[in-house]
Amino acid sequence: MSTLSSNFKFGILLTALILAPWLGLGSYPLHLIIMALLMGFIYTSWALMGRLGLVSLGHGAFLGIGAYSVVLLWNQYGVPPLAGALIAVVLTVVLALVIGYPCFRFKIVGHYFALVTLALAEVVRLVIVATREVTGGSLGLTPKPGLVNEATASLWSFQFSNRVVWFYIVLACWLFALWVWRKVDQSMMRDALQAVSEDEDAAASIGINVTRTKLIITVLSAVMTCLGGVLYAQYQAYVNPDTVSGIGISLQMVFGVIAGGMFVMLGPTFGAVFLLALQEVLRVLIGNEIHGLDLLIYGALLVFFIIRMPKGILGSWLERKT
């Protein structure tokens, strides 16, 4: 009965989302919904491994690779973004394997693994800033316009002037992330990862290939985050090292997922909505008058959620209902 109730509620939510562009919300509210779904996609990608004990503080590296790869390949060589996305995925897989294999092979886990990934995110950001002649450095980069002759859409340049088109693209990707979450939960790999997160030696003793199991979920999470970067770059038509790479965006993913609920399928999306709403409230109330206040508030809230609500807002609410 509870499963039917959950599916029914999700069906209502999905129907409301599908109809959202036609409810006369206006351009900016639609933009906020698109950003919430996009961040929900990215946060869900991070949570695939984060909820199973593999806490990465460096997913901003994969987000930055996705965002910058498609823009640079398009601007410099005219490679269409869809092809650029495939190249970005290959680079992401290679980087995830280069970082993940030594860590998992030599049992670099817990805080040490988190520190390695934290360094990775900062290295990618510094490389982007250092190669300013190509990447634009701290000033960021804008994709070359691909809409010509008053066109409103171009699949070749993956640019669309109508937000409704972007809404359905991002909605499809968000649903894909939820589908991946469900498939992981239904697979034997979920049980294997749970066993590994509790005791690696015991898991290995019953025949689980610990290194391979960890690498699979890490690569999957990294690739999906990379695709989130591709979508972000094309939708926003602007990339900046501070918004798509580095420590800041990596910690924002962690905060959003923890706030929403790491162990609930819709928890990361709920966290994205919460964080977006918080950003809008802070922008309206204090603007940019007090530099760094938003980061201070994020940090205080993160400590609060970890101590008082470890299951997040949505996770705690669902627990009370049961």
Side-chain angles (χ1 to χ4, degrees), residues 86-107:
L86 293 177
I87 297 174
V89 165
V90 172
L91 293 175
T92 296
V93 170
V94 171
L95 183 60
L97 291 175
V98 168
I99 295 297
Y101 182 78
C103 288
F104 302 147
R105 180 68 178 81
F106 298 106
K107 297 185 178 180

Side-chain angles (χ1 to χ4, degrees), residues 37-116:
L37 290 174
L38 179 54
M39 290 299 105
F41 171 78
I42 294 170
Y43 293 178
T44 301
S45 302
W46 182 91
L48 286 175
M49 61 183 291
R51 67 191 175 120
L52 296 170
L54 294 172
V55 178
S56 167
L57 301 180
H59 264 46
F62 306 124
L63 191 72
I65 288 174
Y68 270 90
S69 293
V70 291
V71 176
L72 287 174
L73 288 169
W74 171 251
N75 286 2
Q76 299 291 330
Y77 306 105
V79 177
L82 291 179
L86 293 177
I87 297 174
V89 165
V90 172
L91 293 175
T92 296
V93 170
V94 171
L95 183 60
L97 291 175
V98 168
I99 295 297
Y101 182 78
C103 288
F104 302 147
R105 180 68 178 81
F106 298 106
K107 297 185 178 180
I108 300 175
V109 296
H111 304 310
Y112 300 104
F113 177 71
L115 288 174
V116 169

Side-chain angles (χ1 to χ4, degrees), residues 31 34-43 45 62-71 81-82 84-86 88-89 143 155 157-160 163 165-177 222-239 243-244:
H31 164 71
I34 293 172
M35 288 303 299
L37 290 174
L38 179 54
M39 290 299 105
F41 171 78
I42 294 170
Y43 293 178
S45 302
F62 306 124
L63 191 72
I65 288 174
Y68 270 90
S69 293
V70 291
V71 176
L82 291 179
L86 293 177
V89 165
L155 190 59
S157 63
F158 206 66
Q159 295 178 14
F160 311 95
R163 290 191 193 278
V165 177
W166 276 114
F167 170 81
Y168 286 115
I169 291 174
V170 175
L171 176 63
C173 292
W174 175 71
L175 291 173
F176 171 73
V223 166
M224 290 177 62
T225 304
C226 167
L227 294 177
V230 172
L231 289 172
Y232 182 91
Q234 293 303 119
Y235 173 66
Q236 293 285 61
Y238 173 73
V239 290
T243 56
V244 297

